[in-house]
C-alpha cells in the first residue's frame, strides 16, 4: 500500500504507521480509529458524525475471467461532509483496496496514510488536515484502480464483484469499505449522492450486448449520455447506513412505475432485472413488482408509514459467493428470480423498516432487524395477518421445541455475539424471530404491536441499540422484561418458552351485601399457551374489601402482605387446564356502604385478563339529606316537635328523645314525619335532643341526631305571654333567670312588691311574687 508518510515497521502483514504526538489536554485530538463494535473492533471510526457522502466514479470493463466480467474504477472521488464532535488533529476512514491519489480537507491538501492489517480486518485511511478541523468539514478522497472483493469471515462475498455482464457493489456487513472511503459503521448514517459513469452498452461473458443501466439507492436524478457512456446520478435523501448502499452496473431491463401508499402518497418505483434471464424468470419478477404496492401497504399496517421515498427491486446474476438477498435501502437486491418470488421479498421489505429506517448501532444488535424480518413474513402469511397459515406462536414454538437444548444453535446469545464468522447464524435469524414472538406472548398483542410501530416512529432515521428496544418495550407495556431479555438475548443456552395464561376473577355474594354476609371470590388461571406454566404469579388487591370485611382465611398456596394477596399458580398447570384460588370474607358491622372492587392481575409476564375486577356492594347506611330539627319552647310542660326531612321515599321513621343524651321515649310515626315530646319537670336545666332512625328495604338502618335545645327552663305561667324569665325558644342561649334558691331575692323585686302593696295592688304583687317563686 502506498503512503505519503514514513512507515516505521512492517510486522505480520500489518502496515503500521508513525504515531502522532499526543495533543495538549485542551487541544485537538486524534479521532478514535474504532466505532467500538465488539464484532468488528477495527472497523468504524470516532470523533465525527458523517452527514453526507458524494460518491462519483467511472467504471469500465477490462475483460472476462471465469465467466465473470472484470473491470476497473478509472477515476473516483468520494467527498464526505461531516461534523467534528471535538476539534480533530487527525481522523480516520475505512477504505479497502484501490490506489489513492489525493486527499483534501476543506479543499486544502491533507497528509494521509493507510494502516492495513487484513487478518485483523483493519483497513484505515488516516487523514491529517493542514489545520485541525472543528465543526462541519469536508474531506475528499480521489482514487482509482481495480476494486477488490471483500470476503467475509463466513466466506461470503462483498465489496465489488464482477457479474456475467458488469459489476455490483454490496456491503453488508462491512464490505462497503471496498467501494469508497467512509465511516463504515451502521451507527453513523448519512445521506448520499451516487454518480456512476459507465458504458451505455455492455456485453455479457459470451459477447451478447445490450443496453446498460446503473441501479442504486434513493431516487434517480439524471441520466446523461455522453458518446458511448452514460452517467447515472442517484440521490438518497433519507438517512442510510453505508452497508445498505448498492451500485449495480449491467445489462438490465428497467421497470418503471409508482405505488400509492396508505396515506395516499405516491412514490416512484424503479426495478432492475438482468436482461439475460429467461422470459419465465422475467415474468415472475414483473409479477412480483406489481405486488409491491399491496405488500408495502399491508406492512404499513404493521410498522407504520413506509419510510422511503421510492421503491423497487434489483435482480442480478452474480457469483455463487453472493448467495444472499440484501435489504439495500429502497430497492433490495436479489440474486435470482426464485428468491424474489418467495417470502424473501417480504423479508427484505420488512427490512426497509427494521434494519434500514432504524439500524443497529453495532453489529451485535443485527438480530433486531433480522429477527423481525424473519418474524414479519410469518405473521404476514398467517391467518392473523394477510394469509391463512399457522400462527406465529405455533410456528416459532415448533422451531424452538424441535431444537434440543444440547444443540449448538443455542450456544451464541444474540445480544452478546462477537464472532463475525457466525453473524448470520441461527441466533440472528431464528432465535431472533423466536424472541419477537416470546415478547409478544409476554407483553400481550396490544403492547407488542404498539411497540413495533413506535420503534419506527420514535427512532426513524436513527441507529439504536438493543437496550433502547428493551426500554421502549418496558415503557409501552408497563412490564419489567429483564428476566425474559437476559434469557433470550444476553445468555447462551436454550431459553424458556414463556408462560401464557388468561385470568378471570368472579365473586359469589348477595347484592347488596348486609352486615355479616359472606362474599366468596374465585381467581381462575387458565393456561392458554403451549407449555406447562412454570412461573406465573397472580396478585389480588384487597384494599377496598378489607375496609368492609375481614378475610375468613388466607387460602392455601397464597400469602397476604398488607392488602395484597399473592398466589403462585401451580407449577405444571398444563396447556388448556385451569387452576383456581378461592377465598372469602365477611362484612363487618361498621362497613362503609356502597360499591367496592377487588382487582386481580398477572404479576408476571404472559397474562391476559378476561375479567380481572369483581364489583360488589355493601348496603348503604340510610341517611337523610338534612339533620332533624326541633321546634317549640324549652320549658317544663312545653311540647317540642321534631321534624326530619330528606329521607328516601318509603322510609319508615322512628323517633327517640333524649334528655342530656339519655333516651327517654321511642315513638314510631311512619305516617307522620313529625313527632312531639312534652318536657317533664325532671328535665329542668337539661337539654333535649331527638334521634331519628330510618328503615327501608335495601338499606342498612340509619340514625341521625338533632342539635340539642337550650337548657330547659321553668314552666311558663299561664297568661304571662311567654315573658317569664327562662322561656327562651329552642336553641336560645341560656337566659340569666331569676332564682329563689337559698332565700335570695333580688332587691329590685322586693321594693317593687312593697310599692305595689302600698298602692293597693295586692293581686298584681302576688302575681309577680309567684313568678319570682317559680323561677
Amino acid at each position: 500500500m502506498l503512503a505519503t508518510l514514513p512507515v516505521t515497521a512492517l510486522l505480520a502483514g500489518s502496515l503500521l504507521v508513525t504515531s502522532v504526538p499526543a495533543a495538549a489536554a485542551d487541544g485537538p485530538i486524534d479521532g478514535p480509529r474504532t466505532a467500538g463494535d465488539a464484532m468488528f473492533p477495527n472497523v468504524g471510526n470516532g470523533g465525527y458524525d458523517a452527514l453526507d457522502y458524494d460518491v462519483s466514479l467511472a467504471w469500465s470493463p477490462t475483460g472476462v475471467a471465469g465467466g465473470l466480467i472484470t473491470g476497473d474504477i478509472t477515476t473516483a472521488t468520494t467527498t464526505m461532509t461531516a461534523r467534528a464532535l471535538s476539534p480533530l488533529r487527525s481522523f480516520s476512514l475505512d477504505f479497502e483496496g484501490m490506489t489513492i491519489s489525493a486527499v483534501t480537507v476543506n479543499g486544502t491538501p491533507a497528509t494521509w496514510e493507510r494502516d492495513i492489517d487484513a487478518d485483523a480486518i483493519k483497513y484505515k485511511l488516516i487523514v491529517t488536515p493542514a489545520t485541525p478541523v472543528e465543526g462541519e468539514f469536508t474531506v475528499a478522497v480521489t482514487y482509482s484502480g481495480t476494486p477488490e472483493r471483500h470476503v467475509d469471515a463466513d466466506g461470503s462475498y462483498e465489496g465489488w464483484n464482477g457479474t456475467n455482464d458488469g459489476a455490483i457493489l454490496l456491503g453488508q456487513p462491512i464490505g462497503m469499505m471496498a467501494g469508497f472511503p467512509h465511516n463504515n459503521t451502521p451507527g453513523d448514517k448519512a445521506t448520499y449522492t451516487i454518480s456512476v459513469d459507465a458504458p451505455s452498452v455492455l456485453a455479457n461473458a459470451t459477447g451478447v450486448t445490450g443496453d446498460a443501466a446503473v441501479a442504486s439507492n434513493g431516487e434517480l436524478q439524471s441520466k446523461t449520455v455522453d458518446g458511448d457512456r452514460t452517467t447515472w446520478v442517484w440521490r438518497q435523501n433519507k438517512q442510510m447506513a453505508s452497508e445498505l448502499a448498492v451500485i449495480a452496473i449491467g445489462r438490465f431491463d428497467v421497470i418503471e412505475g409508482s405505488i400509492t401508499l396508505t396515506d395516499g402518497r405516491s412514490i416512484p418505483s424503479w426495478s432492475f432485472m438482468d436482461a439475460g434471464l429467461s422470459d419465465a424468470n422475467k415474468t415472475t419478477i414483473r409479477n412480483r413488482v406489481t405486488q409491491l404496492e399491496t405488500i408495502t401497504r399491508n406492512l404499513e399496517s404493521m410498522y407504520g408509514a413506509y419510510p422511503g421515498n421510492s421503491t423497487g427491486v434489483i435482480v442480478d446474476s452474480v457469483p455463487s459467493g453472493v448467495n444472499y438477498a440484501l435489504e439495500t435501502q429502497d430497492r433490495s437486491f436479489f440474486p435470482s428470480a426464485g428468491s424474489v418470488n418467495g417470502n424473501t421479498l417480504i423479508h427484505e421489505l420488512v427490512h426497509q423498516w427494521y434494519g434500514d429506517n432504524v439500524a443497529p448501532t453495532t453489529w451485535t444488535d443485527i438480530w433486531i432487524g433480522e429477527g423481525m424480518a424473519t418474524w414479519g413474513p410469518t405473521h404476514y402469511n398467517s391467518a392473523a395477518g394477510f394469509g391463512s397459515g399457522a400462527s406465529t406462536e405455533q410456528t416459532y414454538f415448533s422451531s424452538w421445541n424441535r431444537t434440543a437444548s444440547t444443540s449448538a444453535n443455542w450456544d451464541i446469545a444474540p445480544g452478546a455475539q462477537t464472532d463475525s464468522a457466525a453473524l448470520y447464524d441461527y441466533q440472528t435469524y431464528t432465535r431472533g424471530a423466536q424472541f419477537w414472538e416470546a415478547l409478544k406472548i409476554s407483553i400481550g398483542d396490544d403492547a407488542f404491536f404498539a411497540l413495533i410501530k413506535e420503534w419506527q416512529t420514535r427512532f426513524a432515521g436513527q441507529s439504536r441499540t438493543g437496550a433502547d428496544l428493551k426500554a421502549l418495550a418496558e415503557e409501552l407495556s408497563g412490564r419489567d422484561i429483564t428476566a425474559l431479555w437476559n434469557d433470550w438475548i444476553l445468555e447462551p443456552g436454550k431459553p424458556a418458552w414463556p408462560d401464557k395464561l388468561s385470568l378471570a376473577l368472579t365473586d359469589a355474594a348477595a347484592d347488596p351485601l348486609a352486615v355479616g354476609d359472606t362474599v366468596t371470590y374465585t381467581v381462575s388461571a387458565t393456561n392458554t399457551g403451549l407449555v406447562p406454566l412454570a412461573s406465573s404469579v397472580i396478585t389480588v388487591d384487597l384494599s377496598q374489601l378489607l375496609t368492609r370485611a375481614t378475610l375468613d382465611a388466607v387460602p392455601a398456596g397464597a400469602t397476604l402482605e398488607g392488602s395484597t394477596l399473592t398466589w403462585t399458580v401451580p407449577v405444571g398447570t398444563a396447556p388448556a387446564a385451569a387452576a383456581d384460588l378461592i377465598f372469602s370474607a365477611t362484612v363487618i358491622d361498621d362497613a362503609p356502604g356502597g360499591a367496592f372492587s377487588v382487582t386481580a392481575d398477572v404479576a408476571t409476564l404472559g397474562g391476559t385478563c378476561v375479567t380481572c375486577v369483581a364489583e360488589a356492594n355493601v348496603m348503604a347506611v340510610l341517611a337523610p339529606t338534612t339533620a332533624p330539627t326541633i321546634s317549640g319552647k324549652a320549658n317544663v310542660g312545653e311540647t317540642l316537635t321534631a321534624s326530619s326531612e330528606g329521607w328516601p321515599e318509603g322510609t319508615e321513621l322512628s323517633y327517640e328523645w333524649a334528655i342530656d343524651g339519655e333516651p327517654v321515649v321511642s315513638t314510631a310515626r311512619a305516617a307522620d314525619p313529625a313527632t312531639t315530646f312534652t318536657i317533664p319537670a325532671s328535665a329542668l336545666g337539661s337539654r333535649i335532643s331527638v334521634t331519628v332512625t330510618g328503615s327501608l328495604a335495601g338499606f342498612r338502618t340509619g340514625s341521625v341526631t338533632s342539635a340539642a335545645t337550650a337548657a330547659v327552663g321553668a314552666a311558663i305561667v299561664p297568661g304571662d305571654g311567654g315573658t317569664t324569665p327562662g322561656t327562651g325558644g329552642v336553641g336560645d342561649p341560656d337566659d340569666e333567670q331569676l332564682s329563689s334558691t337559698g332565700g335570695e331575692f333580688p332587691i329590685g323585686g322586693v321594693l317593687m312588691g312593697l310599692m305595689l302593696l302600698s298602692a293597693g295592688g295586692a293581686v298584681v304583687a302576688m302575681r309577680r311574687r309567684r313568678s319570682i317563686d317559680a323561677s
Side-chain angles (χ1 to χ4, degrees):
M1 294 295 173
L2 299 177
T4 58
L5 293 182
V7 176
T8 58
L10 185 63
L11 300 174
S14 175
L15 186 62
L16 303 180
V17 300
T18 305
S19 61
V20 181
D26 297 330
I29 65 168
D30 297 314
R33 297 173 190 174
T34 177
D37 195 317
M39 196 76 69
F40 300 101
N42 297 312
V43 181
N45 308 277
Y48 61 87
D49 175 20
L51 305 175
D52 182 78
Y53 293 98
D54 188 329
V55 180
S56 178
L57 61 89
W59 177 89
S60 294
T62 57
V64 178
L68 301 174
I69 301 298
T70 59
D72 282 347
I73 303 295
T74 55
T75 182
T77 298
T78 291
T79 302
M80 178 184 76
T81 302
R83 179 183 297 110
L85 303 180
S86 60
L88 295 176
R89 179 175 53 195
S90 70
F91 57 90
S92 56
L93 301 93
D94 301 291
F95 190 37
E96 178 180 1
M98 289 187 275
T99 300
I100 298 172
S101 57
V103 177
T104 62
V105 174
N106 294 331
T108 300
T111 56
W112 54 272
E113 52 192 326
R114 302 184 81 164
D115 181 2
I116 299 171
D117 184 345
D119 292 338
I121 317 179
K122 180 168 69 172
Y123 297 90
K124 293 297 179 186
L125 168 60
I126 303 166
V127 178
T128 303
T131 58
V133 294
E134 297 185 47
E136 191 169 304
F137 68 95
T138 61
V139 54
V141 181
T142 302
Y143 53 97
S144 61
T146 302
E148 293 188 2
R149 166 190 294 166
H150 180 89
V151 180
D152 289 325
D154 64 0
S156 60
Y157 295 173
E158 296 178 64
W160 281 104
N161 281 274
T163 66
N164 69 344
D165 57 7
I168 190 167
L169 173 64
L170 298 169
Q172 193 176 117
I174 57 169
M176 196 55 62
M177 62 186 175
F180 56 91
H182 67 287
N183 192 16
N184 193 15
T185 169
D188 191 5
K189 295 174 127 188
T191 54
Y192 285 77
T193 298
I194 296 175
S195 176
V196 179
D197 173 3
S200 301
V201 175
L202 286 171
N204 68 8
T206 61
V208 178
T209 61
D211 291 341
V214 176
S216 191
N217 310 91
E219 292 70 61
L220 182 62
Q221 302 297 293
S222 63
K223 185 173 68 172
T224 304
V225 178
D226 183 5
D228 60 356
R229 298 182 69 84
T230 301
T231 299
W232 299 67
V233 179
W234 293 86
R235 176 63 186 170
Q236 176 57 279
N237 285 315
K238 291 286 187 176
Q239 292 290 307
M240 183 170 74
S242 62
E243 82 275 359
L244 302 173
V246 60
I247 298 175
I249 305 168
R251 299 181 312 132
F252 288 111
D253 291 348
V254 182
I255 309 168
E256 294 189 56
S258 64
I259 69 169
T260 301
L261 301 174
T262 303
D263 63 2
R265 182 168 61 112
S266 180
I267 61 172
S269 173
W270 288 279
S271 291
F272 299 80
M273 58 182 176
D274 191 328
L277 294 172
S278 68
D279 289 342
N281 282 336
K282 289 182 179 181
T283 297
T284 294
I285 296 166
R286 290 183 186 277
N287 287 341
R288 289 301 265 171
V289 169
T290 63
Q291 295 169 20
L292 283 175
E293 178 172 297
T294 297
I295 297 172
T296 301
R297 289 171 66 116
N298 287 341
L299 292 177
E300 283 187 306
S301 71
M302 295 168 58
Y303 304 117
Y306 177 72
N309 289 328
S310 62
T311 188
V313 299
I314 301 169
V315 185
D316 200 4
S317 299
V318 291
S320 59
V322 186
N323 57 356
Y324 51 83
L326 194 60
E327 63 271 22
T328 45
Q329 197 156 314
D330 300 318
R331 52 197 50 82
S332 298
F333 161 77
F334 300 88
S336 67
S339 65
V340 78
N341 192 39
N343 283 334
T344 306
L345 174 61
I346 303 175
H347 178 103
E348 304 306 342
L349 286 175
V350 171
H351 267 312
Q352 298 304 312
W353 285 266
Y354 276 80
D356 292 16
N357 187 40
V358 183
T361 300
T362 67
W363 284 107
T364 294
D365 285 328
I366 185 177
W367 65 268
I368 297 174
E370 294 298 350
M372 178 53 74
T374 304
W375 182 92
T378 307
H379 174 75
Y380 189 100
N381 292 314
S382 73
F386 308 96
S388 58
S391 67
T392 51
E393 182 178 3
Q394 185 60 60
T395 296
Y396 290 110
F397 168 76
S398 295
S399 71
W400 171 89
N401 193 45
R402 65 174 172 259
T403 306
S405 60
T406 55
S407 171
N409 286 334
W410 305 116
D411 289 350
I412 301 175
Q417 54 184 321
T418 58
D419 182 5
S420 65
L423 185 59
Y424 296 98
D425 285 358
Y426 186 92
Q427 77 283 350
T428 295
Y429 289 86
T430 307
R431 183 167 172 171
Q434 290 169 356
F435 166 76
W436 280 111
E437 183 59 31
L439 181 62
K440 179 167 74 72
I441 293 169
S442 297
I443 65 175
D445 285 8
D446 290 347
F448 176 81
F449 285 105
L451 167 67
I452 64 176
K453 275 189 177 180
E454 182 64 18
W455 181 250
Q456 296 300 315
T457 301
R458 187 174 301 189
F459 301 127
Q462 301 179 36
S463 301
R464 287 287 164 167
T465 67
D468 294 326
L469 177 62
K470 177 179 181 289
L472 185 60
E474 292 180 332
E475 173 191 331
L476 297 183
S477 69
R479 296 288 191 174
D480 181 354
I481 65 167
T482 300
L484 178 82
W485 185 269
N486 291 344
D487 194 24
W488 277 91
I489 302 303
L490 300 182
E491 298 169 356
K494 185 174 183 176
W497 193 256
D499 285 5
K500 184 181 181 184
L501 66 157
S502 65
L503 177 62
L505 172 65
T506 58
D507 68 336
D511 187 19
L513 291 161
V515 170
D517 282 352
T518 297
V519 55
T520 300
Y521 294 92
T522 300
V523 181
S524 184
T526 301
N527 186 344
T528 56
L530 299 173
V531 294
L533 298 180
S535 59
S536 292
V537 175
I538 309 296
T539 58
V540 187
D541 180 1
L542 304 179
S543 57
Q544 295 186 32
L545 173 67
L546 294 180
T547 63
R548 295 162 172 85
T550 55
L551 201 63
D552 295 339
V554 176
T559 59
L560 180 65
E561 183 174 348
S563 59
T564 300
L565 189 68
T566 301
W567 175 46
T568 299
V569 182
V571 174
T573 300
D580 292 339
L581 180 75
I582 301 173
F583 61 95
S584 60
T586 301
V587 179
I588 59 178
D589 291 345
D590 58 350
F596 69 95
S597 62
V598 170
T599 304
D601 186 35
V602 183
T604 47
L605 299 176
T608 300
C609 275
V610 177
T611 306
C612 283
V613 179
E615 299 280 356
N617 285 278
V618 173
M619 286 185 182
V621 177
L622 202 59
T625 57
T626 59
T629 59
I630 299 174
S631 60
K633 293 184 178 295
N635 290 86
V636 172
E638 297 295 317
T639 297
L640 302 179
T641 301
S643 178
S644 187
E645 305 292 342
W647 294 87
E649 185 177 356
T651 301
E652 293 186 358
L653 302 178
S654 63
Y655 297 79
E656 185 175 70
W657 293 87
I659 300 173
D660 283 342
E662 291 296 324
V664 292
V665 175
S666 178
T667 306
R669 296 284 301 272
D672 183 354
T675 192
T676 59
F677 175 65
T678 300
I679 303 174
S682 61
L684 182 64
S686 299
R687 296 174 185 272
I688 310 299
S689 63
V690 66
T691 297
V692 183
T693 300
S695 300
L696 183 64
F699 289 86
R700 290 153 63 197
T701 299
S703 298
V704 60
T705 301
S706 70
T709 67
V712 172
I716 299 174
V717 176
D720 191 33
T723 61
T724 303
T727 60
V730 174
D732 287 345
D734 290 339
D735 294 327
E736 187 178 341
Q737 300 182 16
L738 298 175
S739 173
S740 62
T741 59
E744 296 180 4
F745 292 89
I747 294 174
V750 174
L751 291 176
M752 178 65 71
L754 292 173
M755 290 171 65
L756 290 172
L757 285 171
S758 65
V763 174
V764 175
M766 289 302 295
R767 288 184 62 190
R768 180 63 177 162
R769 176 63 183 271
R770 288 167 62 186
S771 176
I772 293 171
D773 290 345
S775 67

